[in-house]
PDB file of all heavy atoms in Angstrom:
ATOM      1  N   ASP A   1      22.968 -11.025   8.664  1.00  0.00           N
ATOM      2  CA  ASP A   1      23.634 -12.301   8.377  1.00  0.00           C
ATOM      3  C   ASP A   1      24.701 -12.666   9.405  1.00  0.00           C
ATOM      4  O   ASP A   1      24.904 -13.832   9.708  1.00  0.00           O
ATOM      5  CB  ASP A   1      24.270 -12.269   6.981  1.00  0.00           C
ATOM      6  CG  ASP A   1      23.258 -12.595   5.897  1.00  0.00           C
ATOM      7  OD1 ASP A   1      22.165 -13.083   6.237  1.00  0.00           O
ATOM      8  OD2 ASP A   1      23.558 -12.367   4.719  1.00  0.00           O
ATOM      9  N   ASP A   2      25.404 -11.690   9.943  1.00  0.00           N
ATOM     10  CA  ASP A   2      26.480 -11.972  10.897  1.00  0.00           C
ATOM     11  C   ASP A   2      25.945 -12.533  12.211  1.00  0.00           C
ATOM     12  O   ASP A   2      26.634 -13.279  12.900  1.00  0.00           O
ATOM     13  CB  ASP A   2      27.287 -10.711  11.171  1.00  0.00           C
ATOM     14  CG  ASP A   2      27.955 -10.178   9.910  1.00  0.00           C
ATOM     15  OD1 ASP A   2      28.191 -10.998   8.987  1.00  0.00           O
ATOM     16  OD2 ASP A   2      28.228  -8.976   9.838  1.00  0.00           O
ATOM     17  N   ASN A   3      24.705 -12.169  12.583  1.00  0.00           N
ATOM     18  CA  ASN A   3      24.142 -12.577  13.866  1.00  0.00           C
ATOM     19  C   ASN A   3      23.392 -13.913  13.808  1.00  0.00           C
ATOM     20  O   ASN A   3      23.001 -14.438  14.837  1.00  0.00           O
ATOM     21  CB  ASN A   3      23.178 -11.506  14.380  1.00  0.00           C
ATOM     22  CG  ASN A   3      23.880 -10.178  14.573  1.00  0.00           C
ATOM     23  OD1 ASN A   3      25.071 -10.128  14.853  1.00  0.00           O
ATOM     24  ND2 ASN A   3      23.141  -9.097  14.397  1.00  0.00           N
ATOM     25  N   VAL A   4      23.185 -14.452  12.623  1.00  0.00           N
ATOM     26  CA  VAL A   4      22.403 -15.675  12.467  1.00  0.00           C
ATOM     27  C   VAL A   4      23.321 -16.888  12.524  1.00  0.00           C
ATOM     28  O   VAL A   4      24.324 -16.963  11.819  1.00  0.00           O
ATOM     29  CB  VAL A   4      21.640 -15.657  11.127  1.00  0.00           C
ATOM     30  CG1 VAL A   4      20.860 -16.938  10.927  1.00  0.00           C
ATOM     31  CG2 VAL A   4      20.705 -14.462  11.073  1.00  0.00           C
ATOM     32  N   LYS A   5      22.982 -17.842  13.402  1.00  0.00           N
ATOM     33  CA  LYS A   5      23.797 -19.053  13.536  1.00  0.00           C
ATOM     34  C   LYS A   5      23.505 -20.056  12.434  1.00  0.00           C
ATOM     35  O   LYS A   5      24.405 -20.678  11.886  1.00  0.00           O
ATOM     36  CB  LYS A   5      23.548 -19.716  14.896  1.00  0.00           C
ATOM     37  CG  LYS A   5      24.107 -18.938  16.052  1.00  0.00           C
ATOM     38  CD  LYS A   5      23.862 -19.675  17.347  1.00  0.00           C
ATOM     39  CE  LYS A   5      24.411 -18.875  18.516  1.00  0.00           C
ATOM     40  NZ  LYS A   5      24.138 -19.554  19.793  1.00  0.00           N
ATOM     41  N   CYS A   6      22.215 -20.256  12.132  1.00  0.00           N
ATOM     42  CA  CYS A   6      21.826 -21.254  11.141  1.00  0.00           C
ATOM     43  C   CYS A   6      20.903 -20.578  10.113  1.00  0.00           C
ATOM     44  O   CYS A   6      19.772 -20.222  10.438  1.00  0.00           O
ATOM     45  CB  CYS A   6      21.109 -22.411  11.820  1.00  0.00           C
ATOM     46  SG  CYS A   6      20.670 -23.734  10.701  1.00  0.00           S
ATOM     47  N   HIS A   7      21.391 -20.398   8.920  1.00  0.00           N
ATOM     48  CA  HIS A   7      20.616 -19.740   7.873  1.00  0.00           C
ATOM     49  C   HIS A   7      19.552 -20.677   7.306  1.00  0.00           C
ATOM     50  O   HIS A   7      19.745 -21.887   7.244  1.00  0.00           O
ATOM     51  CB  HIS A   7      21.534 -19.284   6.738  1.00  0.00           C
ATOM     52  CG  HIS A   7      22.474 -18.201   7.139  1.00  0.00           C
ATOM     53  ND1 HIS A   7      22.090 -16.902   7.255  1.00  0.00           N
ATOM     54  CD2 HIS A   7      23.785 -18.241   7.471  1.00  0.00           C
ATOM     55  CE1 HIS A   7      23.125 -16.166   7.624  1.00  0.00           C
ATOM     56  NE2 HIS A   7      24.163 -16.957   7.763  1.00  0.00           N
ATOM     57  N   CYS A   8      18.441 -20.103   6.881  1.00  0.00           N
ATOM     58  CA  CYS A   8      17.409 -20.881   6.200  1.00  0.00           C
ATOM     59  C   CYS A   8      17.956 -21.322   4.843  1.00  0.00           C
ATOM     60  O   CYS A   8      18.727 -20.598   4.226  1.00  0.00           O
ATOM     61  CB  CYS A   8      16.159 -20.041   5.984  1.00  0.00           C
ATOM     62  SG  CYS A   8      15.301 -19.624   7.500  1.00  0.00           S
ATOM     63  N   PRO A   9      17.543 -22.486   4.370  1.00  0.00           N
ATOM     64  CA  PRO A   9      18.040 -22.935   3.066  1.00  0.00           C
ATOM     65  C   PRO A   9      17.511 -22.032   1.944  1.00  0.00           C
ATOM     66  O   PRO A   9      16.397 -21.507   2.026  1.00  0.00           O
ATOM     67  CB  PRO A   9      17.497 -24.349   2.934  1.00  0.00           C
ATOM     68  CG  PRO A   9      16.358 -24.419   3.863  1.00  0.00           C
ATOM     69  CD  PRO A   9      16.647 -23.457   4.974  1.00  0.00           C
ATOM     70  N   GLU A  10      18.306 -21.858   0.919  1.00  0.00           N
ATOM     71  CA  GLU A  10      17.907 -21.059  -0.235  1.00  0.00           C
ATOM     72  C   GLU A  10      16.917 -21.856  -1.072  1.00  0.00           C
ATOM     73  O   GLU A  10      17.203 -22.985  -1.478  1.00  0.00           O
ATOM     74  CB  GLU A  10      19.133 -20.697  -1.067  1.00  0.00           C
ATOM     75  CG  GLU A  10      18.825 -19.860  -2.287  1.00  0.00           C
ATOM     76  CD  GLU A  10      18.230 -18.508  -1.953  1.00  0.00           C
ATOM     77  OE1 GLU A  10      18.880 -17.716  -1.274  1.00  0.00           O
ATOM     78  OE2 GLU A  10      17.079 -18.262  -2.390  1.00  0.00           O
ATOM     79  N   THR A  11      15.737 -21.290  -1.318  1.00  0.00           N
ATOM     80  CA  THR A  11      14.716 -21.990  -2.086  1.00  0.00           C
ATOM     81  C   THR A  11      14.519 -21.367  -3.459  1.00  0.00           C
ATOM     82  O   THR A  11      13.907 -21.977  -4.319  1.00  0.00           O
ATOM     83  CB  THR A  11      13.363 -21.969  -1.354  1.00  0.00           C
ATOM     84  OG1 THR A  11      12.982 -20.617  -1.117  1.00  0.00           O
ATOM     85  CG2 THR A  11      13.456 -22.712  -0.036  1.00  0.00           C
ATOM     86  N   ARG A  12      15.006 -20.159  -3.666  1.00  0.00           N
ATOM     87  CA  ARG A  12      14.813 -19.495  -4.953  1.00  0.00           C
ATOM     88  C   ARG A  12      16.062 -19.611  -5.808  1.00  0.00           C
ATOM     89  O   ARG A  12      17.176 -19.512  -5.306  1.00  0.00           O
ATOM     90  CB  ARG A  12      14.442 -18.032  -4.729  1.00  0.00           C
ATOM     91  CG  ARG A  12      13.125 -17.901  -3.974  1.00  0.00           C
ATOM     92  CD  ARG A  12      12.646 -16.503  -3.910  1.00  0.00           C
ATOM     93  NE  ARG A  12      13.453 -15.727  -2.980  1.00  0.00           N
ATOM     94  CZ  ARG A  12      13.393 -14.412  -2.881  1.00  0.00           C
ATOM     95  NH1 ARG A  12      12.578 -13.729  -3.650  1.00  0.00           N
ATOM     96  NH2 ARG A  12      14.147 -13.778  -2.023  1.00  0.00           N
ATOM     97  N   CYS A  13      15.845 -19.808  -7.101  1.00  0.00           N
ATOM     98  CA  CYS A  13      16.986 -20.031  -7.994  1.00  0.00           C
ATOM     99  C   CYS A  13      16.878 -19.239  -9.293  1.00  0.00           C
ATOM    100  O   CYS A  13      17.495 -19.598 -10.281  1.00  0.00           O
ATOM    101  CB  CYS A  13      17.137 -21.513  -8.284  1.00  0.00           C
ATOM    102  SG  CYS A  13      15.689 -22.249  -9.045  1.00  0.00           S
ATOM    103  N   GLY A  14      16.065 -18.189  -9.312  1.00  0.00           N
ATOM    104  CA  GLY A  14      15.972 -17.358 -10.510  1.00  0.00           C
ATOM    105  C   GLY A  14      15.110 -17.947 -11.611  1.00  0.00           C
ATOM    106  O   GLY A  14      15.369 -17.723 -12.793  1.00  0.00           O
ATOM    107  N   CYS A  15      14.073 -18.672 -11.258  1.00  0.00           N
ATOM    108  CA  CYS A  15      13.175 -19.275 -12.243  1.00  0.00           C
ATOM    109  C   CYS A  15      12.446 -18.178 -13.033  1.00  0.00           C
ATOM    110  O   CYS A  15      12.127 -17.119 -12.488  1.00  0.00           O
ATOM    111  CB  CYS A  15      12.170 -20.181 -11.543  1.00  0.00           C
ATOM    112  SG  CYS A  15      11.118 -21.077 -12.685  1.00  0.00           S
ATOM    113  N   LEU A  16      12.171 -18.426 -14.290  1.00  0.00           N
ATOM    114  CA  LEU A  16      11.576 -17.419 -15.165  1.00  0.00           C
ATOM    115  C   LEU A  16      10.077 -17.620 -15.403  1.00  0.00           C
ATOM    116  O   LEU A  16       9.439 -16.788 -16.053  1.00  0.00           O
ATOM    117  CB  LEU A  16      12.299 -17.423 -16.511  1.00  0.00           C
ATOM    118  CG  LEU A  16      13.806 -17.194 -16.438  1.00  0.00           C
ATOM    119  CD1 LEU A  16      14.435 -17.400 -17.799  1.00  0.00           C
ATOM    120  CD2 LEU A  16      14.111 -15.820 -15.897  1.00  0.00           C
ATOM    121  N   GLU A  17       9.491 -18.712 -14.904  1.00  0.00           N
ATOM    122  CA  GLU A  17       8.079 -19.034 -15.126  1.00  0.00           C
ATOM    123  C   GLU A  17       7.182 -17.947 -14.540  1.00  0.00           C
ATOM    124  O   GLU A  17       7.306 -17.577 -13.373  1.00  0.00           O
ATOM    125  CB  GLU A  17       7.756 -20.374 -14.469  1.00  0.00           C
ATOM    126  CG  GLU A  17       6.298 -20.715 -14.399  1.00  0.00           C
ATOM    127  CD  GLU A  17       5.756 -21.310 -15.670  1.00  0.00           C
ATOM    128  OE1 GLU A  17       6.482 -22.054 -16.336  1.00  0.00           O
ATOM    129  OE2 GLU A  17       4.599 -21.036 -15.978  1.00  0.00           O
ATOM    130  N   GLU A  18       6.240 -17.410 -15.343  1.00  0.00           N
ATOM    131  CA  GLU A  18       5.277 -16.428 -14.837  1.00  0.00           C
ATOM    132  C   GLU A  18       4.072 -16.324 -15.756  1.00  0.00           C
ATOM    133  O   GLU A  18       4.122 -16.704 -16.923  1.00  0.00           O
ATOM    134  CB  GLU A  18       5.921 -15.054 -14.665  1.00  0.00           C
ATOM    135  CG  GLU A  18       6.221 -14.320 -15.938  1.00  0.00           C
ATOM    136  CD  GLU A  18       6.754 -12.912 -15.707  1.00  0.00           C
ATOM    137  OE1 GLU A  18       7.023 -12.539 -14.563  1.00  0.00           O
ATOM    138  OE2 GLU A  18       6.890 -12.208 -16.703  1.00  0.00           O
ATOM    139  N   MET A  19       2.982 -15.808 -15.177  1.00  0.00           N
ATOM    140  CA  MET A  19       1.776 -15.505 -15.926  1.00  0.00           C
ATOM    141  C   MET A  19       1.284 -14.136 -15.476  1.00  0.00           C
ATOM    142  O   MET A  19       1.148 -13.889 -14.276  1.00  0.00           O
ATOM    143  CB  MET A  19       0.685 -16.546 -15.663  1.00  0.00           C
ATOM    144  CG  MET A  19      -0.615 -16.239 -16.403  1.00  0.00           C
ATOM    145  SD  MET A  19      -1.950 -17.392 -16.064  1.00  0.00           S
ATOM    146  CE  MET A  19      -2.657 -16.690 -14.581  1.00  0.00           C
ATOM    147  N   LYS A  20       1.028 -13.245 -16.420  1.00  0.00           N
ATOM    148  CA  LYS A  20       0.544 -11.902 -16.092  1.00  0.00           C
ATOM    149  C   LYS A  20      -0.870 -11.739 -16.617  1.00  0.00           C
ATOM    150  O   LYS A  20      -1.159 -12.082 -17.760  1.00  0.00           O
ATOM    151  CB  LYS A  20       1.444 -10.834 -16.713  1.00  0.00           C
ATOM    152  CG  LYS A  20       1.020  -9.427 -16.365  1.00  0.00           C
ATOM    153  CD  LYS A  20       1.985  -8.392 -16.898  1.00  0.00           C
ATOM    154  CE  LYS A  20       1.552  -7.005 -16.449  1.00  0.00           C
ATOM    155  NZ  LYS A  20       2.497  -5.985 -16.895  1.00  0.00           N
ATOM    156  N   ILE A  21      -1.758 -11.223 -15.735  1.00  0.00           N
ATOM    157  CA  ILE A  21      -3.132 -10.948 -16.137  1.00  0.00           C
ATOM    158  C   ILE A  21      -3.365  -9.447 -16.068  1.00  0.00           C
ATOM    159  O   ILE A  21      -2.689  -8.732 -15.326  1.00  0.00           O
ATOM    160  CB  ILE A  21      -4.156 -11.692 -15.245  1.00  0.00           C
ATOM    161  CG1 ILE A  21      -3.979 -11.316 -13.778  1.00  0.00           C
ATOM    162  CG2 ILE A  21      -4.063 -13.186 -15.461  1.00  0.00           C
ATOM    163  CD1 ILE A  21      -5.076 -11.850 -12.872  1.00  0.00           C
ATOM    164  N   ASN A  22      -4.349  -8.973 -16.847  1.00  0.00           N
ATOM    165  CA  ASN A  22      -4.602  -7.544 -16.946  1.00  0.00           C
ATOM    166  C   ASN A  22      -6.082  -7.327 -17.203  1.00  0.00           C
ATOM    167  O   ASN A  22      -6.696  -8.073 -17.963  1.00  0.00           O
ATOM    168  CB  ASN A  22      -3.772  -6.998 -18.118  1.00  0.00           C
ATOM    169  CG  ASN A  22      -3.746  -5.498 -18.168  1.00  0.00           C
ATOM    170  OD1 ASN A  22      -4.673  -4.836 -17.739  1.00  0.00           O
ATOM    171  ND2 ASN A  22      -2.671  -4.973 -18.713  1.00  0.00           N
ATOM    172  N   CYS A  23      -6.666  -6.297 -16.579  1.00  0.00           N
ATOM    173  CA  CYS A  23      -8.064  -5.950 -16.861  1.00  0.00           C
ATOM    174  C   CYS A  23      -8.209  -4.449 -17.097  1.00  0.00           C
ATOM    175  O   CYS A  23      -9.242  -3.866 -16.823  1.00  0.00           O
ATOM    176  CB  CYS A  23      -8.999  -6.424 -15.753  1.00  0.00           C
ATOM    177  SG  CYS A  23      -8.969  -5.420 -14.281  1.00  0.00           S
ATOM    178  N   ARG A  24      -7.181  -3.816 -17.620  1.00  0.00           N
ATOM    179  CA  ARG A  24      -7.223  -2.368 -17.857  1.00  0.00           C
ATOM    180  C   ARG A  24      -8.154  -2.002 -19.005  1.00  0.00           C
ATOM    181  O   ARG A  24      -8.724  -0.914 -19.032  1.00  0.00           O
ATOM    182  CB  ARG A  24      -5.833  -1.829 -18.141  1.00  0.00           C
ATOM    183  CG  ARG A  24      -4.921  -1.878 -16.945  1.00  0.00           C
ATOM    184  CD  ARG A  24      -3.543  -1.345 -17.297  1.00  0.00           C
ATOM    185  NE  ARG A  24      -2.600  -1.575 -16.233  1.00  0.00           N
ATOM    186  CZ  ARG A  24      -2.277  -0.674 -15.316  1.00  0.00           C
ATOM    187  NH1 ARG A  24      -2.824   0.513 -15.335  1.00  0.00           N
ATOM    188  NH2 ARG A  24      -1.405  -0.962 -14.379  1.00  0.00           N
ATOM    189  N   TYR A  25      -8.310  -2.882 -19.988  1.00  0.00           N
ATOM    190  CA  TYR A  25      -9.053  -2.546 -21.197  1.00  0.00           C
ATOM    191  C   TYR A  25     -10.379  -3.291 -21.325  1.00  0.00           C
ATOM    192  O   TYR A  25     -11.097  -3.088 -22.287  1.00  0.00           O
ATOM    193  CB  TYR A  25      -8.179  -2.818 -22.418  1.00  0.00           C
ATOM    194  CG  TYR A  25      -6.828  -2.149 -22.303  1.00  0.00           C
ATOM    195  CD1 TYR A  25      -5.673  -2.897 -22.125  1.00  0.00           C
ATOM    196  CD2 TYR A  25      -6.721  -0.763 -22.324  1.00  0.00           C
ATOM    197  CE1 TYR A  25      -4.443  -2.284 -21.998  1.00  0.00           C
ATOM    198  CE2 TYR A  25      -5.491  -0.146 -22.189  1.00  0.00           C
ATOM    199  CZ  TYR A  25      -4.357  -0.910 -22.034  1.00  0.00           C
ATOM    200  OH  TYR A  25      -3.139  -0.307 -21.889  1.00  0.00           O
ATOM    201  N   SER A  26     -10.683  -4.157 -20.381  1.00  0.00           N
ATOM    202  CA  SER A  26     -11.962  -4.867 -20.409  1.00  0.00           C
ATOM    203  C   SER A  26     -12.396  -5.142 -18.976  1.00  0.00           C
ATOM    204  O   SER A  26     -11.673  -4.872 -18.031  1.00  0.00           O
ATOM    205  CB  SER A  26     -11.841  -6.174 -21.201  1.00  0.00           C
ATOM    206  OG  SER A  26     -11.022  -7.082 -20.506  1.00  0.00           O
ATOM    207  N   GLU A  27     -13.562  -5.708 -18.815  1.00  0.00           N
ATOM    208  CA  GLU A  27     -14.088  -6.018 -17.495  1.00  0.00           C
ATOM    209  C   GLU A  27     -13.500  -7.297 -16.919  1.00  0.00           C
ATOM    210  O   GLU A  27     -13.462  -7.487 -15.723  1.00  0.00           O
ATOM    211  CB  GLU A  27     -15.620  -6.147 -17.556  1.00  0.00           C
ATOM    212  CG  GLU A  27     -16.325  -4.855 -17.904  1.00  0.00           C
ATOM    213  CD  GLU A  27     -16.054  -3.766 -16.876  1.00  0.00           C
ATOM    214  OE1 GLU A  27     -16.133  -4.046 -15.664  1.00  0.00           O
ATOM    215  OE2 GLU A  27     -15.752  -2.637 -17.306  1.00  0.00           O
TER     216      GLU A  27
END
């Protein structure tokens, strides 16, 4: 961070949206 002149804008804000898929018990 100390060596960077212009930081990239922050795009993440801690959003909680997600979908989890699983195929451990079926095909």
Side-chain angles (χ1 to χ4, degrees):
D1 277 347
D2 298 335
N3 300 331
V4 178
K5 290 182 181 178
C6 183
H7 293 282
C8 292
E10 180 63 61
T11 57
R12 298 188 287 169
C13 59
C15 185
L16 303 173
E17 169 82 35
E18 72 175 7
M19 178 183 86
K20 182 175 183 177
I21 58 172
N22 191 331
C23 77
R24 292 179 189 263
Y25 308 110
S26 68
E27 295 299 314

